[in-house]
Amino acid sequence: MISWMKHGRRTQEATAPQVLQQILWLSGPAGSGKTAIMGTIADECDEEGLLAAGFFFSSFAGHSDRSSKHFFVTTLVYQLAQHDRITGYSDEVSVALDRDPLIFKRDLQAQVDALILTPLRNVSGRSDRRGWPQLFLVDGLDECVGDEQSTQGTGRGKGEVHQEILSVLVRASDDPAFPFHIIIASRPERAIEGYFSSLPKGVIKRVFLDSKYSPEADMELYARAMLSQIGMECGLPENWSFRAGQAVGTEDVPRYWAKEASGQFVYVATVIRYVQSGPGTPYERLEHVLNWRQSDSSKPFSALDALYSGILRTSPDPILAVKWIGAVLKYVDYEEGAWYITTVQEASPGEAQHLLGPLSSLIRIVNEDGEPNFSFYHKSLSDFLEDSQRSGDLHLTEDEVNSFQASRYSAVLKNKGPLVPLPANRTLDAFMTEFFTYFTFPHVFPPAHNYPQDASEVEWWLAHQHVAIAAPEGVVQAFVLVHGKCCWYACRRSCKVWRKPILRFAKADGWRVPTVLETLRDRCKHIPWGSADPREVCLGELLGPPSYISRSRADRLRLLEQERTRGLRT
């Protein structure tokens, strides 16, 4: 791939004009080593001064900035501006930002035009482009999430966002001002495959990681080197793995693993992590791994599934551990917010370590300083848990995970505070800021309000609303959700327990509250929190502080005007 970047090639289609291939698409199934390859390319090109910029998407990184398109162009621009060899580029970017301070609020194409293509066009004659870096890297495109849904219900799906990113990259590569090659790595998901298939033949180079690339030799070499390192670090005999392999009829463990992996590098990487850090001695851990045999070798992920199942069952309560993992993955920023997630989900001190500590080859729960810090090693773990055919009795439905999460939030509400001590460097206000933000998420709140509660618990929750920026939104959300399953002729007890304290609180705080007629309308036909139809007045305009009411109304009227303008154009 580096050779392709350095030399490139033009298509040799007799029926089409020659086209310089500037884009390479590296694809393959989960765990086939795409990110490892991209990391190696990034390291080698960076050392040679060939890497212009790169973005590694990851839905498992624990940071929203790694899974969102909103940080994509900004990251590339920042990295590009660090290259002194592109004389004047950073100055041109500064000019563009001064000209349009809101550029990062605009769509990706506008950002690329203003911050990459136009500055490159303006500096093209100031330095020799042959001395510029040559490569853009985009890894894990399939892990970029869709746009967030607004209160009006608008937003773009994951596939649409993937195609939007591909579109701006292809358009950039077509521009004479853009001299860089681009390597994009992703799983062959439908939207991505569909977009590339729609391009003229020969525009991109495709590389699919399958058996013809002989990954077994590389995996065997890696496993052999790592087992040797583990043996040296632990003072084991040189052939220590040979003895463990003989016990189960496998003399050459590295070769056996490479064949079992079926081209999935993640399998070998995970077994090595387990042998390095699982419970017991390295020899015992190796024996465990070798005894976790695949049940059906005809299935493509059977070896990986047997490995994940075996490791998860080393937890003292595998089902509760899976509930924890599922709940952690509900949070976008689960790495930075690990202290909060641990505090809100623990029913007793040390529960996270007790359940997840044995799973250190799959998930990291503390950082180097011993502070909570969730980090998953590979997305294939989530794929395994979500597929009931693969995970079997370890599979939990989304409702089961939501119910677990809701039970822990309800326990905090009933206790009027976390059930475990706060970390030494965190305050109750900091905890309540997060609690207020997440408690009224739809997947948490509807089951949560069904747990026995009384008005004093709701009043405790409301008393802390001042610490959260989005507090009015959370209160309105609770007001709507708790009424969701009430009949027109009678509200459920839980609705009364919640709505009466909210209305008392709102009146005392000078908020606008629904009128008698609006309340009657809500009884007969529930007024939603938000709607995709800007003609519909929602509860965001009927309940809340004056500033929140004004902003909600202004947003709706702006969308209504946009809809009217579009209608006039058509």
Side-chain angles (χ1 to χ4, degrees), residues 23 25 166 170 184 191-199 204 206:
I23 298 179
W25 179 32
L166 290 173
V170 170
I184 301 166
I192 299 172
E193 175 71 48
Y195 182 85
F196 281 128
S197 297
S198 70
L199 298 176
I204 67 164
R206 297 175 181 236

Side-chain angles (χ1 to χ4, degrees), residues 66-239:
R66 290 282 305 280
S67 60
S68 169
K69 73 174 188 178
H70 299 297
F71 301 91
F72 177 60
V73 176
T74 59
T75 302
L76 298 180
V77 170
Y78 174 79
Q79 294 176 12
L80 205 54
Q82 306 308 303
H83 295 286
D84 295 335
R85 288 173 290 164
I86 310 179
T87 306
Y89 175 77
S90 59
D91 294 334
E92 290 291 333
V93 170
S94 297
V95 170
L97 292 173
D98 289 340
R99 187 184 303 120
D100 186 1
L102 299 178
I103 184 63
F104 293 120
K105 299 287 186 182
R106 310 196 189 287
D107 61 46
L108 294 186
Q109 189 59 59
Q111 293 179 39
V112 170
D113 287 340
L115 299 174
I116 295 180
L117 297 179
T118 299
L120 288 175
R121 210 171 285 126
N122 292 342
V123 305
S124 61
R126 301 186 198 177
S127 56
D128 187 351
R129 296 211 311 186
R130 290 175 298 182
W132 289 11
Q134 298 180 28
L135 182 65
F136 268 57
L137 291 177
V138 180
D139 180 59
L141 176 60
D142 54 286
E143 296 194 39
C144 178
V145 300
D147 289 337
E148 292 183 1
Q149 298 289 315
S150 69
T151 57
Q152 284 75 34
T154 58
R156 305 182 73 181
K158 188 175 178 180
E160 291 177 292
V161 170
H162 295 168
Q163 293 190 344
E164 179 187 11
I165 293 171
L166 290 173
S167 176
V168 300
L169 291 173
V170 170
R171 287 186 61 180
S173 71
D174 285 340
D175 195 300
F178 189 88
F180 311 105
H181 288 78
I182 303 171
I183 299 180
I184 301 166
S186 75
R187 297 186 190 185
E189 293 197 350
R190 182 179 299 177
I192 299 172
E193 175 71 48
Y195 182 85
F196 281 128
S197 297
S198 70
L199 298 176
K201 191 174 183 180
V203 170
I204 67 164
K205 179 177 178 63
R206 297 175 181 236
V207 175
F208 187 84
L209 296 176
D210 54 19
S211 57
K212 71 182 179 183
Y213 287 95
S214 303
E216 277 190 21
D218 290 335
M219 288 189 280
E220 181 183 336
L221 182 65
Y222 171 76
R224 202 173 297 283
M226 291 304 297
L227 285 174
S228 176
Q229 179 180 319
I230 293 169
M232 287 188 292
E233 290 174 351
C234 299
L236 299 171
E238 186 176 348
N239 64 343

Side-chain angles (χ1 to χ4, degrees), residues 1-9 21-22 24 41 45 48 50-52 133-137 179-183 205:
M1 275 178 263
I2 295 177
S3 176
W4 164 84
M5 175 202 67
K6 290 180 177 179
H7 306 296
R9 74 171 182 86
Q21 289 181 319
Q22 284 187 262
L24 183 148
I41 293 172
C45 288
E48 295 183 41
L50 299 175
L51 183 63
Q134 298 180 28
L135 182 65
F136 268 57
L137 291 177
F180 311 105
H181 288 78
I182 303 171
I183 299 180
K205 179 177 178 63

Side-chain angles (χ1 to χ4, degrees), residues 200-468:
K201 191 174 183 180
V203 170
I204 67 164
K205 179 177 178 63
R206 297 175 181 236
V207 175
F208 187 84
L209 296 176
D210 54 19
S211 57
K212 71 182 179 183
Y213 287 95
S214 303
E216 277 190 21
D218 290 335
M219 288 189 280
E220 181 183 336
L221 182 65
Y222 171 76
R224 202 173 297 283
M226 291 304 297
L227 285 174
S228 176
Q229 179 180 319
I230 293 169
M232 287 188 292
E233 290 174 351
C234 299
L236 299 171
E238 186 176 348
N239 64 343
W240 72 280
S241 65
F242 177 79
R243 182 183 162 197
Q246 275 188 320
V248 293
T250 303
E251 295 186 357
D252 193 330
V253 172
R255 183 170 298 173
Y256 169 74
W257 280 344
K259 290 183 178 299
E260 286 281 282
S262 301
Q264 297 156 349
F265 185 81
V266 64
Y267 173 84
V268 176
T270 304
V271 294
I272 290 296
R273 279 197 303 270
Y274 179 77
V275 173
Q276 282 179 314
S277 61
T281 67
Y283 187 86
E284 290 171 334
R285 296 192 290 261
L286 179 57
E287 282 189 322
H288 291 160
V289 170
L290 293 173
N291 280 300
W292 294 332
R293 299 300 182 103
Q294 50 185 309
S295 57
D296 185 354
S297 59
S298 66
K299 295 181 180 178
F301 297 106
S302 57
L304 187 62
D305 294 348
L307 177 64
Y308 280 159
S309 178
I311 294 174
L312 288 167
R313 293 179 197 282
T314 63
S315 171
D317 189 335
I319 294 298
L320 188 54
V322 171
K323 287 180 180 179
W324 260 81
I325 291 171
V328 169
L329 290 173
K330 294 283 185 181
Y331 297 86
V332 176
D333 290 309
Y334 55 72
E335 188 169 334
E336 290 183 353
W339 73 269
Y340 167 73
I341 299 170
T342 301
T343 305
V344 79
Q345 288 191 178
E346 282 194 329
S348 59
E351 181 181 338
Q353 177 63 42
H354 174 67
L355 293 170
L356 305 180
L359 313 182
S360 58
S361 55
L362 303 180
I363 174 175
R364 185 184 68 195
I365 61 174
V366 294
N367 60 20
E368 294 77 8
D369 299 322
E371 296 178 345
N373 184 272
F374 291 115
S375 179
F376 295 86
Y377 288 108
H378 201 272
K379 189 178 182 296
S380 56
L381 174 62
S382 173
D383 297 338
F384 166 76
L385 291 173
E386 289 171 3
D387 189 336
S388 60
Q389 297 297 313
R390 294 177 59 190
S391 50
D393 62 350
L394 292 174
H395 173 74
L396 296 175
T397 65
E398 189 170 2
D399 284 345
E400 287 175 309
V401 175
N402 290 345
S403 181
F404 162 73
Q405 195 172 18
S407 71
R408 296 302 169 97
Y409 271 81
S410 288
V412 170
L413 193 67
K414 189 172 186 63
N415 191 58
K416 298 179 183 175
L419 279 68
V420 298
L422 287 165
N425 59 345
R426 303 291 179 175
T427 64
L428 181 60
D429 277 359
F431 174 83
M432 290 306 300
T433 298
E434 302 296 329
F435 187 84
F436 218 101
T437 299
Y438 290 110
F439 180 60
T440 54
F441 275 23
H443 70 271
V444 171
F445 189 81
H449 71 65
N450 288 326
Y451 288 88
Q453 289 154 0
D454 59 43
S456 68
E457 295 163 16
V458 181
E459 288 165 353
W460 171 81
W461 178 70
L462 289 167
H464 290 87
Q465 66 87 31
H466 65 282
V467 302

